[in-house]
Amino acid sequence: MTTTPNINQALNTTAQDFRALGEAAKADFNRLTNDAHKLAQTKVIDPGVQMIKDTSHKLEVQARRSADAAKVQMDHLHDYIVENPGRALLGALAGGFILGLLLRR
């Protein structure tokens, strides 16, 4: 009859050990989850931000090239108008007349 208290004590100790093991596993899992989130943010989000920065830089460079090309074309047009004011006026009138006909329909 003296073995029953020892068995109950052993079972209680084992149950407490399993609870402690479960809590430790839960804490490790939570820590691992937090580490995974931090890693994902540094490895996925930061390169995504870098990719957006690279794309915006490429668009900025392309926009500057387009603006420079448009400026060159406007300079050529200005020079043509200065050299040939009569032709430029007749061309503008003809273009306006044709545009008016097209938009009136």
Side-chain angles (χ1 to χ4, degrees), residues 3 9 11-12 25 34 50-51 56 59 61 67 71 74 78 81 83 88 94 97-98 104:
T3 58
Q9 181 64 30
L11 288 175
N12 285 337
N34 289 337
Q50 186 62 40
M51 186 172 60
S56 66
L59 289 174
V61 168
K71 186 176 180 181
M74 290 299 289
H78 180 265
I81 291 171
E83 292 173 5
F97 180 74
I98 292 172
R104 191 169 72 178

Side-chain angles (χ1 to χ4, degrees), residues 33-84:
T33 302
N34 289 337
D35 290 345
H37 286 305
K38 289 178 185 175
L39 183 65
Q41 287 177 345
T42 58
K43 296 294 182 184
V44 174
I45 294 174
D46 287 344
V49 170
Q50 186 62 40
M51 186 172 60
I52 291 170
K53 287 180 181 177
D54 292 343
T55 303
S56 66
H57 179 70
K58 288 178 185 176
L59 289 174
E60 180 183 356
V61 168
Q62 185 176 0
R64 285 185 183 177
R65 286 182 191 158
S66 297
D68 291 342
K71 186 176 180 181
V72 168
Q73 291 295 326
M74 290 299 289
D75 289 342
H76 286 295
L77 181 63
H78 180 265
D79 292 342
Y80 179 79
I81 291 171
V82 169
E83 292 173 5
N84 304 307

